[in-house]
Amino acid sequence: MTAKNLILIMGDQLSSGLPALAEADRSRDVVLMAEVAEETTYVPHHRKKIAFILSAMRHFAAELSEDGWQVDYVKLDDEANAGSFTGEVARAIDRHAPDRIRLTEPGEWRVAEMVEGWSDGLGLPVDVLPDNRFLCSRTEFAEWSSGRKQLRMERFYREMRRKTGLLMDGDKPAGGKWNFDKQNRKPAETDLFMPRPRQARADDMTKTVLQLVAERFPDGFGDLEPFWFAVTREKAEQARDRFLDEALPHFGDYQDAMLLGEDFLYHSVLSPCINVGLLDPLDLCQRVERAWRNGDVPLNAAEGFIRQIIGWREYVRGIYWLKMPDYAEMNHLNATRDLPAFYWTGETRMACVRAAIDQTRRQAYAHHIQRLMVTGTFALLAGIRPQQVHEWYLSVYADAFEWVELPNTLGMSQFADGGLLGSKPYAASGSYIDRMSDYCGSCTYSVKQRTGEGACPFNALYWDFLARNADTLRGNPRLGPVYSTWDRMKEDTRVALRSSAERILGRLDDL
Ligand code: FAD
Ligand code: DLZ
Ligand code: SF4
């Protein structure tokens, strides 16, 4: 008789094609899934995020059972729940007497470290299998990065295009260019026919989870309802098809746009489903390519979307595993201020920040430019400690898992890795937000005013950021022109900007 396996499946591993399942025997092995306090509280997660993950886990467990698997599912409110993965694996060993433990490599360093102790601590062999949902394995990324002076996403992305054959005509990029980003910066206008993501109805299983989360986290961050995330593969595929039909054609053009009252614009809102394993990223990209080849969507939309997934998504994961655990502690600009309370309450007069945080509270979602150029840029300019900014992003978005969130926050958004991930900080004054959104029109602050009472805080903070970090940033070739502008300013203008910034920084909680 062959060995009996206890197969642990975590909340972001809800894919039936994982090697841990594909190589298992459903008549002999036991699948363990556990809702545990440690995972629901290691950061103050948005309540919708917790509900999404627990409901998706319960639905996945039910599907596995229907498929003939023996599933041992531990609920958060089960009395004997040990509260951690380690405790639950130990209890399951007592129940099932397996010969070994098998699992897919965890997505987070914190959990991978925990698993390292299991073989000794629990006295059984532990097989950690690769996560085959990514196009580039950790080893391949390490090989790609070795010997390179710079690890630029664009170079990596081209390798991934060649590897997958996506948008390739022979060995040439389709349309003659690798990247059509320059066409993807149009501001949007309110449009009665703006597509909406497909909203799934909460079934009884989801309603039970919503009640559990409401009771367990009465004061937790964010609105639980309305809850409409897809929690099964079938519903996720319906959401995907709606996106492909309705929003993808404009995805490229308006990728960087922001509008009051429009939480999603032409974005897919598929990241939560992709990250927990309900949608396969490669299959999604192949469908996007087909839509372009069939003439249904322009190339700049298809390329822009595919780049986010096979480029950015794979690349940030590679950086995460290459650089952890030191990466999480980096603070290149020595930023030490505390995160203002309005990141949690949304109570600020800055219309752009208020809009981004308000929708984050309601939806556990904000699109990329809101994350990067509104809440991200504000924290960067204000010199907030990157680890606090990281904890906020990891908490508030339904798609947030550290492997993808940390490099985006600490690297791309806060420049805390000193330019490993991006060639320059995403610092900008209010005029960027004014150009890409309609927020400024309804703001208490004036985007045209640089100093004094009523001036847009982004303006003085932008120049102050450059001035106070000049020793570190002046040598960056991409910042040469802005430092020349700063140097050419009259002395009294520079003094006024810096004293305005000082006043703003002195009352960050009251903006
Ligand atoms: P779309 O705009 O429709 O893009 C399509 C897909 O591309 C996304 O679903 C996602 O899978 C992928 N993608 C796009 N941009 C990125 C990126 N920069 N890195 C990785 N994948 C990307 N994304 C997460 O999935 N989880 C996070 O925790 C997360 N935290 C972020 C924190 C900050 C500070 C920033 C600036 C970005 C973060 N992102 C994160 C990346 C990006 O903002 C989200 O992936 C995107 O907003 C998800 O919405 P969507 O599905 O509508 O994306
Ligand atoms: C994010 C999360 C939450 C909130 N709860 C659970 C849970 O109760 N059980 C579980 O298996 N996974 C959960 N997750 C996802 C895990 O945090 C995620 O799988 C690991 O961090 C990956 O390393
Ligand atoms: Fe944001 Fe400044 Fe515009 Fe107000 S004026 S919405 S604070 S950029």
Side-chain angles (χ1 to χ4, degrees), residues 205 261 280 305 321 332 343 396 411 480 484 491:
M205 201 178 264
D280 176 52
F305 189 84
W321 286 106
H332 184 67
Y343 272 77
V396 302
S484 303
E491 176 65 13

Side-chain angles (χ1 to χ4, degrees), residues 8-13 33-37 39-42 45 49-50 53-54 57 76 85 105-112 400-402:
L8 174 66
I9 297 186
M10 298 179 185
D12 57 353
Q13 300 178 339
M33 296 180 71
E35 300 172 0
V36 290
E39 296 308 303
T40 58
T41 57
Y42 70 90
H45 299 288
K49 174 184 181 186
I50 302 176
I53 291 167
L54 301 194
M57 284 176 68
L76 196 61
F85 284 138
E105 56 192 2
E108 300 195 345
W109 177 270
R110 175 183 63 81
V111 181
F401 296 90
E402 198 182 70

